[in-house]
Amino acid sequence: QVQLVESGGGLAQAGGSLRLSCAASGRSFGFNAMGWYRQPPGKQREVVATISGGGTPIYADSVKGRFTISRNYAKNTVFLQMNNLKPEDTAVYYCNLGPRWNNWGQGTRVTVSS
């Protein structure tokens, strides 16, 4: 029902920054929670950060203090500002939303070189 399109990935140097965007179509965000996930090469997908319908963020310990999740209700988008990138941040990044958390896009690839 909902299509999510991630963008903004690319190649970055360690210590650099990237800003990921996720655009939703098919219906509005409303006040549903949304989140960013990532799948490193050869590993399972893991949650990176979530943001509640009211805008309260929660971060994985591995990115706390470096990443910021935010959302723009008017534009039906959610963002992930990634600062001080590390090689271990290399992954395909996906967004998703509640309540079912079963709407996966194509993801956007982030590669961080050392």
Side-chain angles (χ1 to χ4, degrees):
Q1 298 295 319
V2 177
Q3 183 177 356
L4 301 171
V5 180
E6 302 92 342
S7 62
L11 179 65
Q13 303 292 324
S17 298
L18 288 171
R19 184 174 176 84
L20 307 184
S21 299
C22 173
S25 62
R27 64 180 66 191
S28 64
F29 281 121
F31 292 98
N32 291 323
M34 300 191 69
W36 284 97
Y37 296 74
R38 67 187 182 187
Q39 186 168 18
K43 297 183 179 180
Q44 296 189 48
R45 188 155 47 202
E46 63 186 20
V47 65
V48 176
T50 61
I51 185 166
S52 73
T56 301
I58 301 175
Y59 300 97
D61 288 342
S62 58
V63 307
K64 195 171 298 182
R66 301 187 298 118
F67 291 8
T68 302
I69 188 171
S70 61
R71 63 193 299 171
N72 186 314
Y73 295 96
K75 296 183 178 181
N76 294 330
T77 54
V78 63
F79 306 96
L80 186 68
Q81 178 66 47
M82 305 186 295
N83 296 327
N84 193 22
L85 285 163
K86 302 177 179 181
E88 50 263 45
D89 295 320
T90 296
V92 177
Y93 284 71
Y94 304 87
C95 65
N96 214 322
L97 54 77
R100 297 186 179 88
W101 301 95
N102 63 353
N103 295 276
W104 299 107
Q106 295 298 306
T108 184
R109 186 176 300 275
V110 171
T111 302
V112 183
S113 63
S114 60

